[in-house]
């Protein structure tokens, strides 16, 4: 194969340069030039040569498109199927991101074992662990080892040529950061390598209708390591969430071309690998024996399923000129905004206080329905006065101090009743038309109304 030509492209403005430089000529941004392949024609051709993919492009009506091509493949793990929107779509590329040690490899190999038992032809490509390590783990997890085909390889060209001869229906690459292509000189794991390798794998998946799953590392601040563009290239992006201390692991879809986003699947990490938790609604509560201050239970709706989650706050006198606002599992900026609303519309000042907010169990809450719970938890901690243990709270707080409705209010209330909660502070617009048996609903339209309920 002739050596492909490489250029350097600016990540900011797209300008191309023949040589690497510290600064882009065009937009003068620093450290933005990355290596790109100019021509990868020979490689593309090798796929096209295969008969069944040589389809000439033509214009067609959508109703005549054969939808069969993107059928679903149930993985045998209902929680994973749920997260991806009802099974893996064939020919799709899924990226699974998460902290080291959270369970990506465990999940993927368990999935391959289940698929293998159903007669699906699979291939597990590992660049991180040796065959012995993987086999040892498989034995410990009682997996169908005779159904898992393993390839320990990091060279993309070799991976693709083996895949081309083996024709797996499902291929796992663990991880995308270890794979490198010969076309580039950059080190494996660099932005250029990750981008180019992923692009070729996506092309392979689409042209051969192979379902590909890529495991990906995440950086300290929680983003996938490597170019942002990786998330654009793939069809589905799943994130593994969870505390290293907690045994629960949540898989959340943050992008899905084949289903809804924010759908979650819940697993527990046990000594026999990941086990599905099919009814997770109450696992994120810490269940204190005595009422404690700074703890509020909210009902969040992640995807199609309501979950009871405990929000904890600690508000304490700050000795810093710039008091700390720390939130774990929630967006930081939103916390600052909520504290400003609390000051302006309820007269409660926290400018001399450090405020820490935590969501129990390591789950992330992405919806604004948590606003009211966060503020009530902060007030409870500030005043050191516990909330009733049978109280649940949800509602969005607006900048004008109003409490805005959230979606699926009734469903959230019903879930709370199921778990024995008897009192709810919710937005006025979410007030149910009929009385809910066993639940006292306090509907509020202003933040000050909600706070006055606490006295
Ligand atoms: P792993 O799946 O290798 O994580 P990743 O690929 O995301 O880096 O590791 C999973 C972690 O879970 C590891 O630290 C050990 C633990 N574990 C268990 O507790 N039980 C098990 O059965 C297995 C296989 C792993
Ligand atoms: Mg791993």
């Amino acid at each position: 194969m002739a050596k492909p030509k490489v250029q350097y492209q600016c990540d900011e403005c797209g300008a191309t340069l023949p040589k690497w430089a510290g600064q882009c000529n065009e937009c003068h941004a620093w450290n933005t030039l990355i290596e790109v392949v100019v021509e990868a024609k020979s490689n593309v051709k090798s796929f096209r040569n295969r008969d069944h993919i040589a389809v000439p492009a033509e214009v067609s009506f959508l109703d005549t498109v054969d939808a069969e091509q993107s059928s679903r493949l149930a993985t045998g793990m209902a929680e994973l199927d749920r997260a991806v929107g009802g099974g893996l779509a064939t020919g799709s590329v899924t990226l699974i991101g998460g902290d080291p040690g959270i369970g990506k490899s465990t999940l993927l190999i368990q999935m391959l074992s289940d698929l293998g038992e159903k007669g699906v032809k699979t291939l597990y490509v590992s660049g991180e662990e040796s065959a012995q390590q993987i086999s040892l783990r498989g034995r410990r997890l009682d997996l169908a080892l005779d159904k898992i085909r393993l390839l320990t390889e990091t060279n993309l060209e070799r991976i693709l040529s083996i895949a081309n001869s083996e024709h797996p229906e499902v291929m796992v690459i663990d991880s995308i950061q270890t794979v490198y292509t010969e076309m580039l000189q950059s080190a494996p794991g660099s932005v250029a390598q990750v981008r180019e390798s992923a692009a070729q794998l996506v092309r392979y998946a689409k042209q051969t209708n192979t379902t590909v799953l890529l495991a990906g590392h995440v950086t300290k601040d929680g983003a996938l390591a490597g170019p942002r563009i990786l998330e654009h290239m793939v069809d589905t992006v799943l994130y593994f969430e969870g505390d290293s201390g907690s045994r629960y692991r949540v898989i959340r879809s943050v992008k899905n071309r084949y289903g809804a986003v924010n759908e979650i699947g819940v697993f527990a990490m046990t000594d026999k690998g990941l086990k599905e938790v099919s009814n997770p609604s109450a696992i994120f509560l810490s269940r204190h024996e005595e009422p404690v201050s700074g703890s509020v239970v909210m009902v969040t709706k992640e995807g199609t399923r309501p979950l009871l989650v405990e929000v904890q706050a600690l508000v304490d006198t700050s000795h810093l000129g710039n008091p700390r606002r720390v939130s774990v599992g929630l967006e930081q900026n939103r916390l600052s905004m909520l504290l400003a609303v609390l000051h302006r519309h309820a007269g409660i000042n926290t400018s001399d206080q450090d405020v820490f907010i935590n969501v129990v169990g390591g789950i992330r809450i992405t919806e604004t329905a948590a606003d009211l719970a966060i503020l009530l938890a902060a007030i409870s901690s500030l005043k050191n006065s516990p909330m009733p243990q049978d109280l649940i709270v949800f509602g969005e707080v607006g900048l004008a101090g109003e409490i805005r409705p959230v979606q699926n209010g009734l469903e959230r209330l019903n879930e709370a009743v199921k778990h024995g909660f008897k009192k709810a502070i919710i937005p006025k617009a979410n007030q149910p038309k009929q009385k809910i048996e066993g639940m006292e609903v306090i509907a509020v339209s202003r933040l000050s109304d909600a706070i006055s309920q606490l006295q």
Side-chain angles (χ1 to χ4, degrees), residues 109-120:
I109 200 148
Q110 281 183 253
M111 180 196 81
L112 289 187
S113 160
D114 287 353
L115 285 173
E117 281 189 327
K118 284 201 268 175
V120 177

Side-chain angles (χ1 to χ4, degrees), residues 24-203:
C24 170
N25 282 356
E26 297 289 326
C27 68
H28 306 296
W30 287 94
N31 274 336
T32 54
L33 292 182
I34 59 166
E35 203 181 11
V36 289
V37 181
V38 183
E39 289 160 301
K41 276 189 192 137
S42 57
N43 218 329
V44 175
K45 224 191 256 162
S46 67
F47 292 132
R48 293 230 174 103
N49 282 344
R50 295 181 51 191
D51 307 335
H52 66 283
I53 7 173
V55 188
E58 57 182 44
V59 176
S60 61
F61 282 101
L62 281 181
D63 63 345
T64 60
V65 177
D66 186 8
E68 272 305 294
Q69 275 202 339
S70 69
S71 60
R72 299 278 186 162
L73 192 62
T75 60
M77 301 179 99
E79 288 293 304
L80 179 62
D81 288 345
R82 165 191 280 274
V84 294
L88 295 167
T90 53
S92 70
V93 182
T94 303
L95 181 63
I96 300 186
D99 292 329
I102 199 157
K104 299 180 293 296
S105 306
T106 310
L107 177 81
L108 289 169
I109 200 148
Q110 281 183 253
M111 180 196 81
L112 289 187
S113 160
D114 287 353
L115 285 173
E117 281 189 327
K118 284 201 268 175
V120 177
K121 198 165 176 198
T122 63
L123 183 63
Y124 182 69
V125 183
S126 178
E128 302 208 322
E129 290 164 286
S130 67
Q132 287 85 341
Q133 281 174 310
I134 297 166
S135 155
L136 219 72
R137 173 189 303 171
R139 253 173 257 269
R140 209 155 50 72
L141 301 184
D142 293 333
L143 300 181
L145 294 187
D146 55 335
K147 300 289 190 312
I148 305 172
R149 287 157 358 118
L150 173 72
L151 171 68
T152 48
E153 179 60 76
T154 54
N155 179 312
L156 182 72
E157 281 72 26
R158 281 204 285 269
I159 294 174
L160 288 180
S161 88
I162 290 171
N164 264 327
S165 59
E166 292 271 325
H167 303 300
E169 289 167 72
V170 177
M171 177 161 77
V172 167
I173 308 285
D174 188 2
S175 67
I176 184 68
Q177 274 88 5
T178 56
V179 175
Y180 72 96
T181 161
E182 285 166 6
M183 288 195 271
L184 300 176
Q185 288 124 39
S186 338
S190 63
V191 171
Q193 282 287 2
V194 171
R195 173 150 106 179
E196 186 58 34
S197 310
Q200 291 202 40
L201 284 163
V202 170
R203 205 180 300 141

